Amino acid sequence: MSEEILINVTPQETRIAFIENGVLQEIAIERQRSRGIVGNIYKGRVSRVLPGMEAAFIDIGLERAAFLHVSDLDLTPEEKQTGVETTPPQIQEILRAGQELLVQVIKEPLGTKGARLTSEITIPSRYLVYLPSGRNIGVSSRIEDEVERTRLKTVLQEALAEHPVPGGFIVRTAAEGVDAESLRRDMLFLHKLWTDVFDRAQRVSAGRLVHEDLPIVLRTLRDLVGGEVEKVRIDSRETYHRAAHFAERMEPDLLPLLEHYTGERPIFELYNVEEEIQRALERKVPLKSGGYLIIDQTEAMTTIDINTGAYVGHRTLEETIFKTNLEAAQAIARQLRLRNLGGIIIIDFIDMQEPEHRQQVLRALQKGLERDHAKTKVCEVSSLGLVEMTRKRTRESLEHVLCQGCPTCGGRGSIKTAETVCYEIFREILRLSRQYDTRQMLVLAAQPVIDRLLDEDSTALAELQAFTGVPVRLQVEALYTPEQYDIVLI
């Protein structure tokens, strides 16, 4: 499988497209005014402790207080021993209002919720993750070769023996096959960076930023480039030079992959990326067979429904359903990455009678998720034929980044019909005629509503005028939404 990364830079926005075999799989967007804060380290102050939620609100200088759960606290050995072995200490025993502590953002503010924090600081580099308060050496579970896992752990232990560094390390997937010198260099760099962060934390006041993670382009080079990535094209000369300087200093092997794109066509037109982004905002996703997905995001979860649509198959109904579900499973894995959907996800596959078919569809979904950078967990098919899964969410979905609630429907996804609004107007005219003594009423409404009052409902309006004894005039307001109307007493 060939991978390519396209980076499109404009003055206020940077967009990164991840292409696999010529097809867009993922899109990341960072805007200057709303740059992501995951990975940033702050000196926070406890503003409120919530024993009932085993959590605390921490002021880190943002608009909304951030949230720190007791499970994300970095406890000292003494604190871990305060309670029974199986029972963690209560948060009020560890934190108090006004207390200052160093915290790191692990989840962006989402909707009305503040950022999610941890006091277990981690600092990543190309090959390692440094845990200042850790004590062990771990190896990424994605490195499956036991010989290579042992080699990496041994190399790091030898480097630590030569250069004693307090704390723990996790060897990242990108470290597979790298030499001992690269790991040693990363280890020393991370320790020096943490020393600088710690020193700055002692000097700044609470509610201030202590360490900011890399911008999205450099973060992509550090975390995601490698393995099967064949090329990274950047359409900004300034950003290209910054990326090249970063690669030269941090990982020279990345330099040959970087390319400054100077083509006449916009870089995102190379693989129809712009069209794919527009399609990713649609509720309906067509499948090649003629079936389709319906994807709905709600406050609590995302639901995905599969339909056969125009696909009628060639053999039996069960075979038709199985093939539609199989195709849908692969499409869903891509859509989750492309739309950056996270949290709880409920998938309603078409009911299958054969247990083997259900297992094959589940395996297809799991296989499609293997290349997902976000952590996922898929449960077995439930008794209702639903598949429940979770996908780690650290930032807003593509829809929430690019779109806002519809001012016409208020986010419902539907509006009242002109007929419904007309009947509301009739009820309001009746109410006003009983409450006030008026000579005439003027109805202001949108064009479709006025058209209906003059056509299909003209008889009903005439009967209403005769019943109330109040003449009614109609006037179109071009700026009114289909549901909006006013009744003026004259």
Side-chain angles (χ1 to χ4, degrees):
M1 179 174 290
S2 63
E3 295 183 7
E4 187 172 339
I5 294 177
L6 308 181
I7 300 179
N8 168 233
V9 182
T10 54
Q12 299 295 325
E13 181 184 66
T14 300
R15 301 185 299 169
I16 300 183
F18 300 88
I19 311 294
E20 292 178 6
N21 292 336
V23 179
L24 176 67
Q25 297 293 333
E26 198 169 331
I27 187 81
I29 298 174
E30 183 174 88
R31 290 174 173 166
Q32 191 170 327
R33 291 184 179 180
S34 56
R35 182 177 166 184
I37 61 172
V38 168
N40 288 0
I41 300 174
Y42 294 83
K43 188 172 185 179
R45 177 184 285 114
V46 180
S47 57
R48 188 180 174 194
V49 178
L50 307 170
M53 295 180 64
E54 289 292 334
F57 285 120
I58 311 293
D59 177 17
I60 58 174
L62 301 181
E63 183 180 347
R64 291 191 296 270
F67 183 82
L68 175 64
H69 191 264
V70 68
S71 61
D72 294 315
L73 275 169
D74 184 17
L75 305 179
T76 64
E78 293 75 20
E79 289 171 326
K80 290 177 182 177
Q81 294 171 5
T82 56
V84 182
E85 186 175 351
T86 56
T87 306
Q90 296 182 325
I91 195 160
Q92 63 267 31
E93 299 172 1
I94 308 167
L95 298 180
R96 64 184 185 281
Q99 181 178 342
E100 296 180 357
L101 72 163
L102 207 59
V103 290
Q104 187 172 33
V105 178
I106 56 176
K107 185 181 288 187
E108 299 279 1
L110 299 172
T112 58
K113 299 177 182 177
R116 178 80 179 259
L117 303 177
T118 180
S119 64
E120 297 185 77
I121 307 298
T122 59
I123 305 180
S125 66
R126 173 70 175 156
Y127 301 123
L128 302 172
V129 176
Y130 181 44
L131 293 75
S133 61
R135 288 172 176 77
N136 302 315
I137 296 175
V139 180
S140 168
S141 59
R142 294 199 175 188
I143 301 178
E144 298 177 353
D145 187 342
E146 284 300 327
V147 175
E148 178 63 8
R149 293 175 65 87
T150 303
R151 182 190 75 85
L152 290 169
K153 188 173 287 190
T154 302
V155 165
L156 200 55
Q157 287 171 340
E158 290 174 352
L160 285 168
E162 184 181 352
H163 305 280
V165 170
F169 288 90
I170 297 173
V171 181
R172 306 185 71 180
T173 309
E176 188 170 9
V178 303
D179 56 58
E181 178 57 27
S182 297
L183 289 178
R184 187 188 68 84
R185 189 170 61 241
D186 256 22
M187 181 191 75
L188 295 176
F189 165 77
L190 285 173
H191 181 246
K192 183 179 184 305
L193 177 59
W194 166 246
T195 303
D196 294 342
V197 170
F198 186 78
D199 290 344
R200 174 171 167 76
Q202 307 309 306
R203 299 193 303 270
V204 303
S205 57
R208 298 289 299 276
L209 177 67
V210 175
H211 170 71
E212 187 174 28
D213 200 10
L214 296 171
I216 191 169
V217 173
L218 304 186
R219 200 162 64 241
T220 299
L221 294 180
R222 180 192 70 193
D223 297 341
L224 303 176
V225 175
E228 297 171 339
V229 175
E230 297 177 349
K231 192 174 293 184
V232 179
R233 302 191 195 188
I234 307 173
D235 67 358
S236 161
R237 182 179 298 277
E238 181 184 349
T239 303
Y240 167 76
H241 287 308
R242 191 183 306 131
H245 176 70
F246 174 82
E248 188 175 22
R249 184 166 52 92
M250 295 294 297
E251 187 49 54
D253 290 347
L254 297 180
L255 274 172
L257 304 181
L258 300 180
E259 175 188 308
H260 177 217
Y261 177 75
T262 56
E264 293 184 2
R265 293 174 62 196
I267 191 169
F268 269 22
E269 286 188 9
L270 295 182
Y271 296 103
N272 297 320
V273 173
E274 295 287 7
E275 294 178 17
E276 289 289 343
I277 292 174
Q278 293 304 316
R279 281 198 284 266
L281 299 175
E282 298 290 335
R283 181 170 175 255
K284 185 176 180 179
V285 180
L287 302 175
K288 290 181 180 178
S289 65
Y292 59 90
L293 312 177
I294 296 293
I295 302 177
D296 286 314
Q297 292 185 62
T298 68
E299 192 73 23
M301 67 183 71
T302 297
T303 61
I304 304 177
D305 184 39
I306 295 96
N307 294 278
T308 55
Y311 181 53
V312 295
H314 302 287
R315 298 175 65 185
T316 64
L317 176 61
E318 176 69 14
E319 192 69 21
T320 301
I321 290 172
F322 172 57
K323 287 187 176 180
T324 303
N325 282 340
L326 210 55
E327 185 183 5
Q330 298 166 349
I332 288 168
R334 175 173 177 258
Q335 290 296 323
L336 294 181
R337 288 180 63 186
L338 186 56
R339 298 169 185 243
N340 193 32
L341 299 173
I344 300 171
I345 299 161
I346 306 295
I347 306 171
D348 184 11
F349 285 107
I350 308 169
D351 289 341
M352 294 171 283
Q353 302 299 321
E354 296 288 339
E356 179 57 28
H357 285 174
R358 289 198 290 268
Q359 288 305 312
Q360 286 188 48
V361 168
L362 203 59
R363 284 196 294 270
L365 177 62
Q366 292 168 335
K367 184 174 177 58
L369 294 170
E370 285 178 357
R371 303 188 66 81
D372 198 336
H373 300 121
K375 185 178 179 181
T376 59
K377 180 183 177 182
V378 181
C379 301
E380 293 293 325
V381 181
S382 73
S383 58
L384 296 177
L386 306 176
V387 172
E388 301 170 9
M389 66 168 289
T390 59
R391 184 174 185 270
K392 187 175 182 181
R393 175 169 56 189
T394 56
R395 53 190 172 91
E396 295 276 17
S397 68
L398 183 66
E399 180 183 321
H400 287 157
V401 171
L402 298 181
C403 306
Q404 64 179 11
C406 172
T408 300
C409 71
R412 292 199 316 265
S414 61
I415 58 173
K416 295 175 183 175
T417 64
E419 181 181 18
T420 300
V421 177
C422 286
Y423 296 161
E424 288 183 1
I425 290 173
F426 290 163
R427 289 193 294 274
E428 184 67 7
I429 289 174
L430 274 173
R431 187 185 69 83
L432 292 173
S433 66
R434 291 167 180 165
Q435 191 170 356
Y436 301 101
D437 184 17
T438 181
R439 292 181 293 105
Q440 191 179 40
M441 293 186 189
L442 173 64
V443 175
L444 307 173
Q447 184 74 58
V449 176
I450 299 297
D451 288 345
R452 185 173 179 94
L453 290 172
L454 292 171
D455 192 0
E456 293 99 319
D457 288 326
S458 58
T459 302
L461 180 62
E463 291 174 353
L464 184 65
Q465 292 181 83
F467 178 76
T468 59
V470 179
V472 177
R473 285 173 45 207
L474 306 176
Q475 180 176 317
V476 174
E477 285 295 327
L479 298 180
Y480 275 25
T481 65
E483 294 185 358
Q484 187 178 359
Y485 66 85
D486 284 306
I487 299 177
V488 182
L489 304 181
I490 300 174

